């Protein structure tokens, strides 16, 4: 497969677009479902510790559901990735995008139904957490397979570390500085947009926007010749 790190690859722009959807999904989960993340699991591990200590405002069940669902999504994606090794990259990308879009669509349907009822039952909360966490687990396993530096689409800790540690002030050469800064801005913008949509329109709309963004962006990406080349195991 052609090196996805090259400037001609469509993968970096696609991953930046997917980073925007991370902000959308976490806006839904954090603002609409309580203090729980479905895109970034580090926060859930910390919150689970708070809940286990009996801290007011934190309960164990949502974090267990999010973590377990995320692992299921990653497990399935790993199996699929192994099966598709050696086949054109576009098959993997399109399948991953369809999976995310369908799961986000189902979550949006649950949210819309609950919104029409005027309540958000606990079962609906858990369903939305599970569906979005499975999608993001599948996403993370996909991105891990692509191995594009500084574009994980879901976490920024190492990206921010690289911005500072590799800077001229630290004696470095600022490698990939544009990509790193773009990743930060993408997730920040997604969270900003997601917060506006959640606060004004509820949970369904940002989930639909996330699903459509993933699908349309991926379909545009796979038109590039790079996507016709084999996926490396």
């Amino acid at each position: 497969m052609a090196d996805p790190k090259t400037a001609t690859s469509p993968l970096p722009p696609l991953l930046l677009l997917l980073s925007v959807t991370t902000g959308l999904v976490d806006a839904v989960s954090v603002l609409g479902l309580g203090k729980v993340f479905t895109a970034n699991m580090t926060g859930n591990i910390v919150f689970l510790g708070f809940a286990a200590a009996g801290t007011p405002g934190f309960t164990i069940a949502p974090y267990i559901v999010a973590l377990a669902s995320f692992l299921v999504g990653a497990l399935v994606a790993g199996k699929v990735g192994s099966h598709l090794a050696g086949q054109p990259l576009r098959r993997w990308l399109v399948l991953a995008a369809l999976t995310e879009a369908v799961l986000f669509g189902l979550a949006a349907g649950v949210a819309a139904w609950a919104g029409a009822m005027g309540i958000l039952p606990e079962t609906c909360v858990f369903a939305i957490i599970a569906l979005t966490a499975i999608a993001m687990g599948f996403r993370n396993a996909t991105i891990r397979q692509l191995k594009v530096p500084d574009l994980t689409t879901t976490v920024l800790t190492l990206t921010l570390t690289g911005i500072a540690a590799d800077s001229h002030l630290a004696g470095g050469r600022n490698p990939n500085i544009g990509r790193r800064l773009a990743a930060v801005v993408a997730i920040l913008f997604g969270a900003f947009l997601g917060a506006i949509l959640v606060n004004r329109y509820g949970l369904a709309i940002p989930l639909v926007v996330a699903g459509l963004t993933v699908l349309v962006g991926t379909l545009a990406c796979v038109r590039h010749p790079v996507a016709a080349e084999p996926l490396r195991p």
Side-chain angles (χ1 to χ4, degrees), residues 1 4-5 11 15 18 70-71 73-75 77-79 81-82 89 92-93 96 100 135-155 231-233:
M1 186 178 75
K5 304 173 210 177
L11 291 179
L15 299 189
L18 296 184
F70 186 91
L71 290 172
L75 175 64
K79 286 281 191 181
S82 297
L89 174 62
W92 181 215
L93 293 178
E100 281 194 48
M136 298 309 291
F138 201 102
R139 153 93 62 89
N140 273 265
T142 303
I143 301 308
R144 184 170 179 267
Q145 178 73 32
L146 297 178
K147 301 181 179 68
V148 181
D150 298 307
L151 287 176
T152 65
T153 78
T154 54
V155 293
L231 173 66
R232 287 177 180 170

Side-chain angles (χ1 to χ4, degrees), residues 91-156:
R91 293 187 183 179
W92 181 215
L93 293 178
V94 170
L95 178 59
L98 287 171
T99 300
E100 281 194 48
V102 168
L103 290 168
F104 288 151
L106 290 172
V110 173
W113 177 82
M117 298 290 290
I119 57 173
L120 189 60
E122 188 176 68
T123 53
C124 290
V125 170
F126 288 154
I128 297 171
I129 289 173
L131 289 165
T132 55
I134 292 171
M136 298 309 291
F138 201 102
R139 153 93 62 89
N140 273 265
T142 303
I143 301 308
R144 184 170 179 267
Q145 178 73 32
L146 297 178
K147 301 181 179 68
V148 181
D150 298 307
L151 287 176
T152 65
T153 78
T154 54
V155 293
L156 292 174

Side-chain angles (χ1 to χ4, degrees), residues 15 21 25 31 48 53 62-63 71 77 90 96-97 105 117 135 142 152 163 172 175 187 194-195 202-203 205 207 215:
L15 299 189
T21 66
V25 172
L31 301 179
L48 182 59
Y63 309 119
L71 290 172
R90 63 164 52 101
M117 298 290 290
T142 303
T152 65
I163 290 172
I187 292 182
L203 306 183
I205 295 298
L207 288 170
L215 188 57

Side-chain angles (χ1 to χ4, degrees), residues 199-228:
N199 291 330
R200 292 187 180 180
Y201 305 110
L203 306 183
I205 295 298
L207 288 170
V208 169
V209 171
L212 289 175
T213 300
V214 170
L215 188 57
V216 172
T218 301
L219 291 177
C221 170
V222 298
R223 294 168 61 88
H224 194 282
V226 166

